[in-house]
Amino acid sequence: MKTLAFFILFLTSITCKENTATKVYLCKSEGGKKYHYKSNCRGLNNCQHKIIATTLEKAKGQGKTLCGWEK
Ligand SMILES: [Zn+2]
């Protein structure tokens, strides 16, 4: 039983981590000010630069706002 309790605790901690570190995508261009939840978003199709994956927290910290297609 102890093992099971530990396992549940382990799963819970993974879920919590994912909630605080939502993956988002940025177009690494000079004027890029948007973040995207989907790597295949229409807004990213126009990206002529490198698409980078980051977390929602970091994107917001850099002053990025949610892409217009995903509101
Ligand atoms: Zn988008």
Side-chain angles (χ1 to χ4, degrees):
M1 283 310 270
K2 255 186 183 175
T3 314
L4 183 66
F6 179 75
F7 186 63
I8 290 168
L9 201 71
F10 177 68
L11 284 181
T12 311
S13 71
I14 289 175
T15 313
C16 284
K17 257 184 203 167
E18 277 187 4
N19 284 343
T20 52
T22 305
K23 265 257 169 70
V24 295
Y25 300 91
L26 307 172
C27 181
K28 206 181 177 189
S29 65
E30 295 270 318
K33 288 187 171 66
K34 303 288 181 186
Y35 62 81
H36 309 260
Y37 287 122
K38 289 171 281 182
S39 62
N40 62 345
C41 171
R42 289 174 74 175
L44 279 173
N45 285 344
N46 301 326
C47 182
Q48 304 290 317
H49 304 262
K50 208 178 168 189
I51 295 169
I52 51 166
T54 183
T55 64
L56 181 60
E57 222 166 80
K58 280 184 187 171
K60 282 186 172 175
Q62 290 165 20
K64 313 281 187 191
T65 55
L66 179 60
C67 145
W69 295 109
E70 294 172 58
K71 275 175 187 170

